[in-house]
Amino acid sequence: ESSVHIKSCFSIFQRYQIMSSEMLPVFIEPYKVERKQNLREDQEESQKPRLSEEFEPISKRQMKKLMKQKQWEEQRELRKQKRKEKRKRKQLERQCQLESNLDGNDRKRIRRDVVHSTLRLIIDCSFDSLMVLKDIKKLHKQIQRCYAENRRALHPVQFYLTSHGGQLKKNMDENDKGWVNWKDIHIKPEHYSEFVKKEDLIYLTSDSPNVLKELDESKAYVIGGLVDHNHHKGLTYKHASDHGIDHAQLPLGNFVKMNSRRVLAVNHVFEIILEYLERRDWQEAFFTILPQRKGAVPTDKTRESSLKDKTYARVEGILDSDSTDEEDSRNERDSPHEEEKHDIENSTESTLNAVPY
């Protein structure tokens, strides 16, 4: 019985195994297909760009930049054409200029007419330690102006920059590196007394009692490179006197009446000398260079105005005396005195007509 039972169980197991093997693909295949579909969908979703990444909000500024970039790309050929036209136009202008300059008015021809002066003009930079950085920068600008004016002048001088060093050299190295390539200038670290004879030197200072009448082109004129806003009055005069150097001041007082103190900037003195070498007239040189803020007036006009004031005062005195005489005559009026009154009025009219307005 047991064997029979075992056989029956084995047969049942086989039958179940056969049934399960037949039924299993039916259940497995749909599962695999569904799983593949899910994986494919996941891959497609991962490959799709996210809306947040692709379509980020763009600001107005970015939009303008994109528009400009687009316009720049579109107008590339137009820009090339404009550049070609500009080059052609410049070539035509140069040709026309060359043709029009045949009469000798061009700048190069003017430069050929330059006559170099033998006069030596020195800017003494030995006062470096007496100035703050702000004043050093001002002095640097004044020296630049002197260099430019000397290069443009019809009678350029022998330009020297002495005792060059310290704060001034440092400022020039930082802000004007091209100074090492300057032409027609002698920049020396030594003091001017080391290479110029003392008898050839004349120190220009407004405190000197000596007035300069003419420029001697065999001499060397020294300008104190000092921007001090009158903190060191008389320093250059004392410096020249202590070293036994001849000194003088420009004849400013002979030709110009000024509202302020007769102290000029370094570049103004330099430019006045250049202008005098060209015109040989101190008054024209002063009024060409001096700035309007100085309130410069010719001394002739000031004398004329003072004379006018005196004549006006005299006329007023005459009129006052005439008016008192008329009042007295009114108090003692008689018919015979009418003629005397007319004579007095005629005399005042004649004096008024004689005043030079």
Side-chain angles (χ1 to χ4, degrees):
E1 290 177 0
S2 62
S3 62
V4 172
H5 181 72
I6 291 168
K7 286 180 180 179
S8 63
C9 288
F10 183 73
S11 62
I12 291 167
F13 176 75
Q14 283 181 341
R15 203 180 300 128
Y16 176 78
Q17 190 175 6
I18 292 166
M19 286 178 65
S20 62
S21 63
E22 290 176 355
M23 295 293 292
L24 186 62
V26 176
F27 290 104
I28 289 173
E29 286 180 2
Y31 174 74
K32 285 183 178 179
V33 171
E34 187 178 357
R35 189 175 179 185
K36 284 181 180 179
Q37 287 178 353
N38 291 334
L39 287 170
R40 194 179 296 113
E41 288 176 359
D42 292 338
Q43 287 177 357
E44 288 177 357
E45 286 181 1
S46 64
Q47 289 175 359
K48 284 181 181 179
R50 294 181 182 177
L51 290 174
S52 60
E53 293 179 357
E54 185 177 3
F55 301 103
E56 289 183 357
I58 299 175
S59 64
K60 289 183 179 180
R61 185 175 293 176
Q62 289 174 337
M63 185 68 74
K64 285 180 180 179
K65 285 183 179 179
L66 290 173
M67 293 293 290
K68 285 181 180 179
Q69 184 67 27
K70 188 178 178 182
Q71 288 177 359
W72 179 265
E73 295 294 334
E74 289 174 354
Q75 295 177 358
R76 181 173 292 176
E77 294 298 326
L78 182 64
R79 288 196 302 275
K80 283 184 180 178
Q81 188 177 355
K82 284 184 177 179
R83 285 197 294 269
K84 287 180 182 178
E85 291 176 356
K86 189 176 180 180
R87 282 196 294 269
K88 287 180 180 178
R89 190 168 60 251
K90 282 187 175 180
Q91 286 177 359
L92 289 171
E93 286 177 359
R94 280 196 292 268
Q95 288 177 0
C96 294
Q97 191 175 4
L98 288 171
E99 291 173 0
S100 63
N101 288 335
L102 292 174
D103 56 351
N105 292 328
D106 59 324
R107 189 174 177 181
K108 289 183 179 178
R109 289 181 183 274
I110 289 173
R111 289 296 297 173
R112 286 175 195 164
D113 296 335
V114 168
V115 178
H116 289 269
S117 173
T118 57
L119 184 143
R120 289 162 290 176
L121 202 51
I122 302 168
I123 295 180
D124 177 17
C125 303
S126 61
F127 305 101
D128 189 89
S129 60
L130 301 176
M131 291 181 283
V132 295
L133 182 60
K134 182 180 177 182
D135 295 333
I136 290 287
K137 289 181 177 180
K138 288 182 180 179
L139 178 62
H140 176 205
K141 287 182 179 180
Q142 292 176 9
I143 291 169
Q144 286 178 322
R145 183 67 181 268
C146 294
Y147 172 73
E149 291 299 326
N150 195 49
R151 291 279 292 168
R152 282 197 290 264
L154 290 176
H155 298 287
V157 296
Q158 306 299 315
F159 187 14
Y160 286 83
L161 201 64
T162 62
S163 302
H164 183 251
Q167 297 182 84
L168 179 61
K169 186 178 182 299
K170 184 180 177 182
N171 185 70
M172 290 174 73
D173 288 335
E174 291 175 357
N175 302 315
D176 185 16
K177 293 179 181 179
W179 70 267
V180 293
N181 299 320
W182 283 1
K183 300 176 181 178
D184 300 329
I185 184 171
H186 308 280
I187 301 176
K188 295 181 177 292
E190 300 88 10
H191 195 262
Y192 56 85
S193 60
E194 295 183 20
F195 55 88
V196 182
K197 296 178 182 178
K198 188 180 285 187
E199 56 268 20
D200 292 341
L201 290 168
I202 298 177
Y203 213 111
L204 297 175
T205 169
S206 61
D207 298 304
S208 173
N210 306 321
V211 179
L212 199 65
K213 294 181 180 179
E214 293 288 335
L215 289 177
D216 186 354
E217 297 196 26
S218 64
K219 298 288 186 180
Y221 294 89
V222 185
I223 303 171
L226 178 64
V227 179
D228 65 336
H229 307 286
N230 294 332
H231 294 308
H232 303 283
K233 292 181 181 179
L235 181 66
T236 53
Y237 172 61
K238 185 176 182 299
H239 177 77
S241 300
D242 292 345
H243 289 82
I245 299 169
D246 292 338
H247 46 79
Q249 62 168 299
L250 296 177
L252 198 63
N254 297 342
F255 300 94
V256 179
K257 177 70 175 177
M258 294 171 62
N259 295 332
S260 59
R261 190 165 170 256
R262 293 200 301 270
V263 178
L264 304 178
V266 172
N267 61 298
H268 290 154
V269 179
F270 196 99
E271 291 172 38
I272 286 168
I273 290 173
L274 289 177
E275 197 71 24
Y276 176 78
L277 290 173
E278 184 178 345
R279 298 174 182 266
R280 296 292 172 178
D281 188 328
W282 283 116
Q283 189 164 2
E284 284 187 18
F286 288 137
F287 284 97
T288 304
I289 302 303
L290 287 177
Q292 292 182 353
R293 68 175 182 272
K294 293 286 186 180
V297 180
T299 51
D300 297 338
K301 289 186 178 181
T302 54
R303 286 172 187 171
E304 286 178 5
S305 62
S306 62
L307 286 171
K308 285 180 182 179
D309 293 338
K310 289 178 182 178
T311 51
Y312 289 145
R314 288 176 185 174
V315 170
E316 287 177 358
I318 292 169
L319 290 174
D320 291 339
S321 64
D322 290 342
S323 62
T324 53
D325 292 340
E326 285 179 4
E327 287 177 0
D328 294 337
S329 64
R330 282 174 188 169
N331 293 330
E332 298 177 355
R333 181 173 291 173
D334 287 328
S335 57
H337 293 91
E338 290 293 329
E339 294 179 357
E340 294 178 2
K341 177 184 174 182
H342 289 297
D343 293 335
I344 291 169
E345 288 177 356
N346 292 331
S347 66
T348 54
E349 288 176 1
S350 63
T351 53
L352 283 169
N353 291 328
V355 176
Y357 283 92

